[in-house]
Amino acid sequence: MKPIRMQVTALGGRIMAGHTNKAGTQLTEGSRQDVTSDFMKCLLQKAEHHGAGFEILGDGKRWDVTVKELSAMAAKEAGPEHVCSGCGAKGWTGNCLECIPY
């Protein structure tokens, strides 16, 4: 059974999976499948499993992967109907510490 490898396309950054050629440098025609959506779903599931973040170690390097749900972040952003509890200004004006949306 041939192993399945993954590569990122140069132009679109799509994640492709498939079998490699004999040299192991390219995915062979007919075996390539776009797995970008599946990969992203797995990445989110892994981050949720590890409490929204994890580390990747490889080739002597270390990466920190942190995932934040946008709808949770958007809850802090208020529209023009927001009235500051500190200075009474409408919106996020930055007039006082309560007017800063973070």
Side-chain angles (χ1 to χ4, degrees), residues 4-102:
I4 295 176
R5 299 286 183 240
M6 297 173 77
Q7 293 179 342
V8 177
T9 61
L11 294 177
R14 306 295 296 175
I15 300 169
M16 306 298 286
H19 302 292
T20 59
N21 60 7
K22 288 184 182 186
T25 56
Q26 293 181 343
L27 299 179
T28 58
E29 283 294 326
S31 74
R32 289 184 291 192
Q33 295 182 16
D34 187 340
V35 295
T36 305
S37 180
D38 293 333
F39 180 85
M40 294 301 179
K41 287 177 189 174
C42 288
L43 183 67
L44 289 173
Q45 289 171 356
K46 180 163 180 65
E48 287 175 357
H49 176 77
H50 291 285
F54 58 95
E55 290 183 352
I56 299 174
L57 304 171
D59 293 332
K61 297 178 183 178
R62 184 173 158 184
W63 293 270
D64 177 45
V65 179
T66 305
V67 178
K68 296 179 184 176
E69 185 178 350
L70 289 179
S71 61
M73 291 173 58
K76 258 196 157 165
E77 298 174 11
E81 68 278 352
H82 170 76
V83 177
C84 178
S85 61
C87 65
K90 291 185 179 181
W92 299 103
T93 62
N95 291 338
C96 71
L97 291 177
E98 299 296 320
C99 283
I100 302 171
Y102 50 84

